[in-house]
Amino acid sequence: MKKIIFVLILNIIFASSSFADAAKMNAGKEIFTGKGMCASCHVLKAADSLGQVGPNLDELKPDIKKVLLSVTNGKGIMPAFGKLGMLNKTEIDIVSFYVASSAGKQ
Ligand code: HEC
């Protein structure tokens, strides 16, 4: 959580810099493997995750809109993290940026 606030502050200061993007990627990985539990259900090489419940994200290569939608509203047995309040809007933005930017890249 502290890290996310830190990233937010970084984003304000370095609005469009690649430094802010790098910080977002780190925070995104943390959400993916931690609070978001994405790793328990999805394969994503960038996060060393091997979950077999949902689609392999390296193969699916979802764009950011697709990740935002599925994390916010859920899909099939995937929980609606946004609607259920399991992740807040900032966390969803960050983890979606992370997945869209890293899927299929390693
Ligand atoms: C309990 C297991 C589970 C968890 C936790 C989970 N997912 Fe999923 N996810 C699934 C399943 C199953 C599907 C396929 C749903 C379907 O098409 O019926 C899916 C689909 C997706 C899709 C594809 C959506 C589409 O429109 O095709 C994306 C992107 C995705 N998940 C990302 C994430 C992210 C990011 C997280 C963490 C915030 C996450 N998932 C957490 C099981 C999970």
Side-chain angles (χ1 to χ4, degrees):
M1 190 60 200
K2 262 187 202 154
K3 190 154 193 179
I4 290 163
I5 293 166
F6 177 65
V7 167
L8 263 185
I9 293 166
L10 276 182
N11 268 342
I12 294 164
I13 299 171
F14 301 106
S16 62
S17 76
S18 57
F19 184 62
D21 281 357
K24 241 163 127 180
M25 291 297 278
N26 282 334
K29 184 173 182 176
E30 198 159 277
I31 296 167
F32 191 93
T33 55
K35 194 175 175 189
M37 303 174 291
C38 323
S40 60
C41 291
H42 291 283
V43 168
L44 183 68
K45 274 195 192 137
D48 295 321
S49 75
L50 302 167
Q52 298 292 324
V53 181
N56 177 325
L57 296 174
D58 289 315
E59 284 166 10
L60 189 69
K61 295 191 194 76
D63 62 16
I64 191 160
K65 271 194 197 157
K66 190 173 249 190
V67 190
L68 280 169
L69 260 181
S70 53
V71 176
T72 303
N73 302 324
K75 193 168 189 198
I77 62 158
M78 177 170 155
F81 290 89
K83 286 196 172 154
L84 297 172
M86 294 162 74
L87 292 176
N88 66 33
K89 172 93 175 61
T90 306
E91 291 166 331
I92 293 173
D93 284 348
I94 290 173
V95 77
S96 300
F97 176 84
Y98 170 71
V99 170
S101 309
S102 61
K105 301 273 164 66
Q106 278 185 28

